[in-house]
Amino acid sequence: MGSSEEKVVAVIMVGGPTKGTRFRPLSLNVPKPLFPLAGQPMVYHPISACKRISNLAQIYLVGFYEEREFAMYVASVSNELRVPVRYLREDKPHGSAGGLYNFRDLIMEDNPSHIFLLNCDVCCSFPLPEMLEAHKRFGGMGTILVIKVSAESANQFGELVADPVTNELLHYTEKPETFVSDRINCGVYVFTPDIFTVIQGVSSRRKDRANLRCLSSFEALQSATRNTPSDFVRLDQDILTPFAGKKQLYTYETLDFWEQIKTPGMSLKCSALYLAQFRFSSPNLLASGDGTKSATIIGDVYIHPSAKVHPSAKENAVVFHAIVGWKSSIGKWSRVQAEGDYNAKLGITILGEAVAVEDEVVVTSSIVLPNKTLNVSVQEEILL
């Protein structure tokens, strides 16, 4: 088969309702992967990036959500982007690599030469075609997207060391206690189908060890039942760490933006990053206006198709460093604001769905759960 005919499959891990609890209250009314960033569901951004891959055969979303929660969106995005998208529900946790292996037969249906694996809660420019070309040059089993970060923040992620000339992954450690490197794992990978053989090997060795323990003593049997199941395989500790330095894994460094979307505050920061990217990649998605026939627009702004803004609209209300839920209202001369520390619990203000802020009320650095009416000002409060 010629390289022009080689098919590629993408798998996007979307997690489940037991994950993402730090994303509340935004995930109370909508699954985290469907929460909008820059006007589009979070998972839309990696899906649309996958469309740029040549010979893309299929995109699979893998997670623990009920299928009904994704059915409408999968049908809608498939039709909009004209790419085949399918949701696969895991029956139990299998780990980041085990989840991939669990659906290996479906993933390999199209006999792909390469498989992309992406995490949904990652915000970046997703340079997937460039990654694939680099991966083919490297000739290994897998290539990891990496980025340089500050030494102070590196230990929050998987740190790695790569050969500066060949880009081979030499060392990998997940969230180390001591500093290893300022290069971190971005949670975006491309593999050859050999990854399934490697995952199977990890699972088989774990099963063999468990059997040996069971044979040794009753006490060992008791402890074995509490150990990690053989089909639970983590990509970082079970694959990346042991295979580093074996000429199987390589790195591709991005110089663009990258963030992990773990908290509501980060969703606000990532919306701004995607809106800035739209200026170059999809300017048609951004609003514009000079105040004559449409409202005055300053900066990178997305206006939802259901929203109508009159050219002369002016309520003298201020909203900044804040997320305002659907069906909510902000009264005249009111302020909904925060300092903009995206990692702090109250670094932004969040109004849940159907929250009413009455006239001349100031809401500062607070979280307000759905269906509340505020007629007095609040500061640094969580209103249940």
Side-chain angles (χ1 to χ4, degrees):
M1 179 182 289
S3 60
S4 62
E5 299 173 352
E6 291 177 343
K7 293 182 179 178
V8 179
V9 166
V11 178
I12 302 173
M13 309 301 283
V14 299
T18 55
K19 305 280 185 181
T21 52
R22 285 183 287 173
F23 210 66
R24 294 173 182 167
L26 304 184
S27 57
L28 289 176
N29 299 102
V30 63
K32 178 182 173 181
L34 300 184
F35 183 80
L37 299 182
Q40 301 289 345
M42 184 185 299
V43 73
Y44 172 92
H45 300 284
I47 290 175
S48 61
C50 288
K51 188 181 177 182
R52 296 173 49 231
I53 304 169
S54 298
N55 302 319
L56 179 69
Q58 182 78 45
I59 299 174
Y60 294 103
L61 310 183
V62 175
F64 299 101
Y65 294 98
E66 295 290 339
E67 291 186 28
R68 57 180 169 77
E69 296 189 77
F70 275 84
M72 287 184 63
Y73 179 70
V74 164
S76 170
V77 76
S78 297
N79 182 62
E80 178 189 346
L81 296 180
R82 300 190 181 280
V83 292
V85 181
R86 181 176 177 184
Y87 178 69
L88 303 175
R89 185 175 185 269
E90 289 192 81
D91 57 339
K92 63 176 183 177
H94 292 92
S96 49
L100 187 71
Y101 185 77
N102 186 49
F103 295 109
R104 63 194 178 282
D105 292 339
L106 277 171
I107 292 169
M108 290 305 297
E109 263 185 354
D110 292 294
N111 194 30
S113 61
H114 295 88
I115 301 153
F116 274 95
L117 179 63
L118 302 85
N119 285 301
C120 177
D121 61 353
V122 161
C123 166
C124 68
S125 60
F126 295 105
L128 306 184
E130 297 85 351
M131 260 187 90
L132 182 56
E133 286 305 310
H135 171 74
K136 290 176 179 178
R137 291 196 306 270
F138 299 149
M141 175 184 68
T143 297
I144 310 164
L145 186 68
V146 306
I147 193 169
K148 182 179 179 180
V149 297
S150 67
E152 294 74 26
S153 65
N155 66 353
Q156 302 172 38
F157 311 99
E159 295 182 25
L160 55 93
V161 177
D163 187 300
V165 177
T166 66
N167 293 104
E168 183 194 352
L169 179 68
L170 300 177
H171 179 76
Y172 184 89
T173 180
E174 185 69 18
K175 299 179 181 177
E177 293 183 2
T178 57
F179 178 76
V180 174
S181 167
D182 57 5
R183 261 65 175 186
I184 64 165
N185 178 2
C186 291
V188 178
Y189 316 85
V190 59
F191 295 108
T192 64
D194 293 337
I195 186 66
F196 292 121
T197 305
V198 171
I199 298 171
Q200 184 181 32
V202 171
S203 181
S204 297
R205 286 191 295 274
R206 184 173 290 152
K207 189 179 297 183
D208 291 342
R209 287 195 297 270
N211 289 338
L212 285 172
R213 285 194 297 268
C214 288
L215 291 171
S216 61
S217 69
F218 177 75
E219 182 179 350
L221 172 65
Q222 293 293 89
S223 65
T225 59
R226 295 193 295 269
N227 284 342
T228 305
S230 61
D231 60 352
F232 187 92
V233 183
R234 302 158 299 184
L235 191 60
D236 38 27
Q237 292 101 320
D238 298 326
I239 306 292
L240 302 186
T241 297
F243 278 85
K246 295 184 178 179
K247 299 190 183 304
Q248 289 292 311
L249 299 171
Y250 292 82
T251 64
Y252 180 83
E253 185 168 342
T254 177
L255 301 178
D256 268 342
F257 62 92
W258 180 88
E259 295 289 350
Q260 198 171 25
I261 317 165
K262 292 295 186 184
T263 63
M266 288 309 300
S267 74
L268 200 59
K269 181 178 182 179
C270 292
S271 285
L273 290 170
Y274 278 135
L275 287 171
Q277 184 188 34
F278 286 171
R279 179 68 60 186
F280 305 98
S281 64
S282 307
N284 58 300
L285 294 177
L286 297 177
S288 60
D290 58 6
T292 53
K293 293 184 178 180
S294 59
T296 301
I297 305 295
I298 300 173
D300 301 320
V301 176
Y302 172 86
I303 297 179
H304 193 273
S306 67
K308 298 292 183 285
V309 184
H310 194 275
S312 63
K314 190 171 183 180
E315 287 188 323
N316 294 301
V318 174
V319 178
F320 65 95
H321 299 313
I323 296 175
V324 179
W326 290 104
K327 304 174 186 174
S328 294
S329 60
I330 312 295
K332 297 178 181 178
W333 299 101
S334 290
R335 298 176 70 91
V336 179
Q337 60 191 20
E339 293 182 1
D341 182 348
Y342 299 116
N343 288 306
K345 188 172 184 179
L346 296 177
I348 69 167
T349 287
I350 302 172
L351 304 185
E353 186 172 297
V355 170
V357 177
E358 296 191 348
D359 296 351
E360 301 179 31
V361 169
V362 180
V363 184
T364 304
S365 302
S366 297
I367 296 175
V368 185
L369 267 63
N371 305 303
K372 299 285 187 298
T373 297
L374 299 182
N375 51 23
V376 294
S377 296
V378 294
Q379 181 171 353
E380 296 183 353
E381 290 193 35
I382 299 176
L383 303 179
L384 304 177

